[in-house]
Amino acid sequence: MNIDSLLQTPSQVISSLDYRRERWRNGLGWTREILRLPAQGDDWALRLSVAEIEQDAAFSAFPGVERELVLLQGNGVRLRFEDGRVAEVLPPHGRVRFAGESALHGELVDGTTHDFNLMWKRGLLQAELLHRPLVGPMFFFCEPGVAWALHLLGGQATFGADSGLPAMQAGDTAWLAAGERQRHALQGGGELLAIRVSAAGG
């Protein structure tokens, strides 16, 4: 898998209306897939999705994968790991990072939750997730080996006219490609998740 070319997947804004919704294998929830790189097949290096957890359920194992979960809607979920650790992901935007190999069970605090789900292959990529308010302009720098994914939690945002990218509404996600050094200006109001994606060791 050529990570450099993967990170150069063309910049785009993915409307929340276009996320692909599919039932979990165990039937206990739904996943709305936002982005998968490469786009085809199950051997992905990066995957962004929204999980809709409808009832208490075991989490699927993803060997070799790092995961980060951020609460989007609902009263929260409690993750019980087989080793005894408990992580509570609570409103407004609680988050937890864990290894995909971990055996764990999710317990809903009170009703269905929607959770942003970031997964990446640790041997290929590294990802850093930031939760930030969007007040006025923000700048994201792409360069060889460094791309960004932006998920707009609330509000609205527009990119600079030179970007060629459409405006973002709450729930939309932007992918900003690696490659030639480029500064992306994002203007608006609200809050977002900003994920810096780079080659492992880079």
Side-chain angles (χ1 to χ4, degrees), residues 36-88:
R36 171 193 299 230
L37 297 178
Q40 304 301 322
D42 290 328
D43 186 23
W44 42 262
L46 178 75
R47 187 168 182 243
L48 308 179
S49 62
V50 175
E52 301 172 26
I53 306 175
E54 296 177 332
Q55 52 188 293
D56 297 357
F59 276 47
S60 300
F62 288 93
V65 169
E66 286 291 310
R67 301 187 64 174
E68 193 151 355
L69 202 70
V70 183
L71 182 68
L72 298 177
Q73 294 175 36
N75 292 312
V77 62
R78 188 177 294 114
L79 305 187
R80 293 193 179 276
F81 293 84
E82 201 172 49
D83 63 7
R85 183 164 73 100
V86 178
E88 292 195 324

Side-chain angles (χ1 to χ4, degrees), residues 11 128-143 146-152 157-160 162-163 165 168 174-188 191-197:
S11 296
E128 180 187 6
L129 186 148
L130 310 168
H131 177 199
R132 293 286 185 266
L134 177 60
V135 184
M138 287 182 80
F139 299 100
F140 298 93
F141 294 90
C142 296
E143 56 191 70
V146 177
W148 287 86
L150 310 177
H151 180 76
L152 194 62
T158 54
F159 288 96
D162 59 341
S163 72
L165 294 170
M168 294 178 72
W175 170 258
L176 306 177
E180 293 297 312
R181 185 168 171 79
Q182 186 176 2
R183 185 183 78 163
H184 290 276
L186 187 66
Q187 182 97 24
E191 57 184 323
L192 52 77
L193 301 176
I195 304 154
R196 184 183 187 273
V197 183

Side-chain angles (χ1 to χ4, degrees), residues 19 24 28 30 36 52 56 67 89 99 108 115 117 144 147-148 162 170-171 188:
Y19 300 166
W24 289 2
L28 300 180
W30 294 86
R36 171 193 299 230
E52 301 172 26
D56 297 357
R67 301 187 64 174
V89 184
L108 294 172
D115 304 88
N117 189 24
W148 287 86
D162 59 341

